[in-house]
C-alpha cells in the first residue's frame, strides 16, 4: 500500500490526515500521520474536472488585438477560420496538446464544447484519456438537420451550442428536443458579453449553462430557481473584457461550476482558475470558498460522480498532491498561488 498525507480536501473541507491507496482505490483513511512514510505529502485534493473547454484551440494563433466576436463568434471568428483550415491530423494534435496541459495540472475529466460538426467530435472521440472527454458536439452549420444531429450523437455525448442569438428559434428547439429525446445533455453559452433572453434559453430545458457573465440579477435568480448549474470561466471572461459578477451570482443562489474555456488564450489549469475565482469573489466582498465548491463539488454533481469527492474508503484514488504545507484559511488562498509543484495520482 502507498500512503499520501497532509491537508486532505473532503466534502467537509480540509483535514489533516492520510490516505492509503491500493490498485487505484482509497483503502484506508485516517487522521494524523500514516503508519509508514508517505510517497507524497502536501495539500491533497480530488483530481479536477474542467467543466468547460474548447480543446482544439491550442494551436490556434492568437491575435490579442481582436474583440471577443472577432476571435470566437461562429462562423467567421478567427478561431473558426483557423480550425476550418486544419486537417484531421493537425486537429487531433491541437486537441492532444490541450489534453496534455490538463493532465499535467491534475485534471482527470473535461467537458468540451466541440466545434467542427461530426468531424470535430469524431476527432476528439478518437483520443484516449486521461483526461477523459465528455463531448458536447454541435452541428457544422447554425441550422437543424435531424440526420446530421443523429450522426453527431454517435460520437458526441450531448449537444453544446454557441448561443441562442446565433440560431433560429425553431431550429434550436428541434435540436434541443432531439437531444432530450435521446437522453443526452443539451447546453449552451449564455449572456457572455451581452445579455440574452433568459426565457428563450430556459424554454430549451438546458442541462447546464456557460458564462451568464452579462446577465441581469433577475436572470440569475431565474436560473437559480430552475436549478440549472452555470459554468463560469473567470480568466477567459477577463481576457475577453468582462469581470465575472461572481458575488451577484452567489447572491442570486446560482450553483456555479468552474471551467477554463478556450485554449488559444488559456492553459486549462484549474488550480489557477480556482485561485482567480477566489480572488474575484473576495474583491467583490463575497465568500472566497465558493471557488472550492465550484472546482470540486459542482463538477461532480454535473457528471454524477459525487462518490469521488468523498475521499473515503472505497472511493477511486483520482487525486492531486500540491507541494504546499497548507493550513486553512482555504489552504492560504488555494495552495499559495501555484508555488507548490503538483503530482497527479490519476488512475489510468
Ligand atoms: Zn466556450
Amino acid at each position: 500500500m502507498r500512503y499520501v498525507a497532509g491537508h486532505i480536501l473532503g466534502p467537509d473541507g480540509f483535514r489533516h490526515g492520510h490516505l492509503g491507496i491500493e490498485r487505484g482505490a482509497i483503502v484506508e483513511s485516517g487522521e494524523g500521520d500514516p503508519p509508514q512514510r508517505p510517497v507524497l505529502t502536501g495539500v491533497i485534493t480530488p483530481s479536477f474536472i474542467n467543466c468547460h473547454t474548447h480543446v482544439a484551440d491550442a494551436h490556434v494563433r492568437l491575435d490579442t488585438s481582436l474583440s471577443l466576436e472577432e476571435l470566437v463568434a461562429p462562423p467567421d471568428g478567427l478561431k473558426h477560420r483557423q480550425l476550418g483550415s486544419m486537417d484531421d491530423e493537425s486537429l487531433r494534435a491541437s486537441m492532444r496538446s490541450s489534453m496534455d496541459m490538463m493532465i499535467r495540472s491534475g485534471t482527470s475529466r473535461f467537458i468540451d464544447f466541440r466545434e467542427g460538426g461530426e468531424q470535430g467530435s469524431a476527432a476528439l472521440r478518437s483520443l484516449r484519456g486521461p483526461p477523459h472527454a465528455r463531448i458536447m458536439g454541435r452541428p457544422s452549420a447554425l441550422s437543424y438537420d435531424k440526420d446530421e444531429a443523429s450522426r453527431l450523437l454517435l460520437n458526441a455525448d450531448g449537444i453544446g451550442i454557441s448561443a441562442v442569438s446565433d440560431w433560429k428559434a425553431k431550429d434550436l428547439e428541434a435540436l434541443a428536443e432531439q437531444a432530450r429525446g435521446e437522453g443526452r445533455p443539451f447546453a449552451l453559452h449564455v449572456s457572455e458579453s451581452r445579455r440574452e433572453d433568459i426565457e428563450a434559453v430556459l424554454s430549451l430545458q438546458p442541462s447546464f449553462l456557460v458564462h451568464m457573465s452579462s446577465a441581469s440579477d433577475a436572470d440569475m435568480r431565474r436560473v437559480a430557481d430552475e436549478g440549472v448549474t452555470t459554468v463560469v470561466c473567470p480568466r477567459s471572461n477577463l481576457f475577453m473584457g468582462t469581470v465575472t459578477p461572481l458575488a451577484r451570482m452567489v447572491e442570486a443562489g446560482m450553483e456555479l461550476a468552474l471551467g477554463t474555456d478556450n485554449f488559444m488564450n488559456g492553459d486549462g489549469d484549474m488550480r489557477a482558475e480556482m485561485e482567480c475565482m477566489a480572488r474575484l469573489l473576495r474583491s467583490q466582498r463575497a465568500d472566497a470558498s465558493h471557488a472550492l465548491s465550484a472546482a470540486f463539488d459542482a463538477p461532480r454533481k454535473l457528471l454524477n460522480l459525487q462518490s469521488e469527492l468523498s475521499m473515503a474508503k472505497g472511493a477511486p484514488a483520482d487525486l492531486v498532491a500540491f507541494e504546499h504545507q497548507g493550513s486553512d484559511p482555504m489552504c492560504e488562498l488555494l495552495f499559495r498561488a501555484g508555488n507548490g509543484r503538483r503530482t497527479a495520482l490519476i488512475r489510468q
Side-chain angles (χ1 to χ4, degrees), residues 30 47 79 131 142 153 187 194 198 201 240 249 253 259 263 275 303 318 333:
S47 65
K79 79 170 218 169
L142 299 165
L153 287 169
R194 62 197 152 81
I198 199 64
V201 170
M240 299 296 186
M249 291 172 161
F263 267 84
E275 185 205 332
L303 296 188
D318 272 349
L333 202 66

Side-chain angles (χ1 to χ4, degrees), residues 56-339:
D57 299 358
H59 292 173
V60 168
R61 283 184 311 283
L62 181 63
D63 180 342
T64 54
S65 69
L66 300 183
S67 69
L68 170 67
E69 276 72 25
E70 291 166 329
L71 280 170
V72 301
D76 298 322
L78 173 100
K79 79 170 218 169
H80 297 287
R81 281 184 278 123
Q82 289 194 27
L83 289 178
S85 69
M86 285 183 197
D87 60 25
D88 243 25
E89 198 182 329
S90 318
L91 195 65
R92 279 200 294 269
S94 188
M95 291 172 171
R96 174 54 73 190
S97 141
S98 298
M99 288 166 71
D100 288 348
M101 280 190 256
M102 283 195 281
I103 200 77
R104 282 199 298 271
S105 53
T107 293
S108 57
R109 291 184 173 80
F110 62 102
I111 303 177
D112 195 69
F113 269 35
R114 186 66 272 120
E115 287 107 349
E118 295 168 60
Q119 182 209 6
S121 289
L124 181 51
R125 181 58 77 208
S126 73
L127 298 175
R128 281 173 62 86
H132 304 288
R134 180 71 61 102
I135 303 173
M136 304 294 282
R138 69 175 66 163
S140 52
L142 299 165
S143 57
Y144 176 63
D145 174 329
K146 188 170 188 295
D147 293 338
E148 184 197 12
S150 299
R151 290 194 306 273
L152 178 62
L153 287 169
L154 295 175
N155 281 307
D157 299 292
I159 302 285
I161 62 122
S162 53
V164 275
S165 318
D166 298 333
W167 281 71
K168 285 200 199 85
K170 193 164 59 63
D171 280 16
L172 199 51
E173 279 158 22
L175 182 61
E177 200 179 309
Q178 183 176 349
R180 282 200 309 275
E182 297 192 23
R184 306 299 189 89
F186 173 85
L188 66 172
H189 299 98
V190 181
S191 297
E192 180 175 1
S193 62
R194 62 197 152 81
R195 188 181 169 208
E196 294 172 295
D197 179 359
I198 199 64
E199 297 308 330
V201 170
L202 292 174
S203 70
L204 301 167
Q205 299 176 44
S207 310
F208 63 92
L209 309 178
V210 180
H211 291 314
M212 288 287 285
S213 37
S214 297
S216 71
D217 289 348
D219 297 344
M220 293 178 187
R221 283 194 298 273
R222 279 288 289 128
V223 169
D225 289 347
E226 291 293 321
V228 180
T229 298
T230 297
V231 178
V232 291
C233 311
R235 289 192 302 166
S236 173
N237 285 170
L238 283 174
F239 180 82
M240 299 296 186
T242 312
V243 178
T244 319
L246 295 163
R248 287 171 47 217
M249 291 172 161
V250 167
E251 178 69 22
M254 288 169 69
E255 168 106 288
L256 303 179
L258 197 57
T260 60
D261 210 359
N262 307 290
F263 267 84
M264 64 189 159
N265 58 291
D267 54 6
D269 185 339
M270 285 287 287
R271 192 216 58 79
E273 198 75 32
M274 175 173 68
E275 185 205 332
C276 176
M277 181 171 179
R279 285 173 190 272
L280 282 176
L281 281 161
R282 200 181 130 72
S283 76
Q284 296 167 12
R285 307 284 181 266
D287 179 357
S289 70
H290 289 290
L292 268 178
S293 49
F296 294 105
D297 305 80
R300 282 171 171 79
K301 280 192 215 160
L302 260 189
L303 296 188
N304 244 335
L305 294 166
Q306 284 97 323
S307 67
E308 289 199 3
L309 193 62
S310 68
M311 294 291 223
K313 269 163 84 167
D318 272 349
L319 308 175
V320 192
F322 295 87
E323 286 184 13
H324 177 60
Q325 302 308 316
S327 55
D328 261 350
M330 284 173 60
C331 281
E332 295 161 66
L333 202 66
L334 307 173
F335 328 138
R336 193 52 73 86
N339 237 347

Side-chain angles (χ1 to χ4, degrees), residues 3-8 16-19 32-34 38-44:
Y3 286 95
V4 297
H7 278 77
I8 298 171
H16 186 72
H18 63 269
L19 301 171
D33 295 332
V39 292
L40 287 170
T41 58
V43 176
I44 317 282

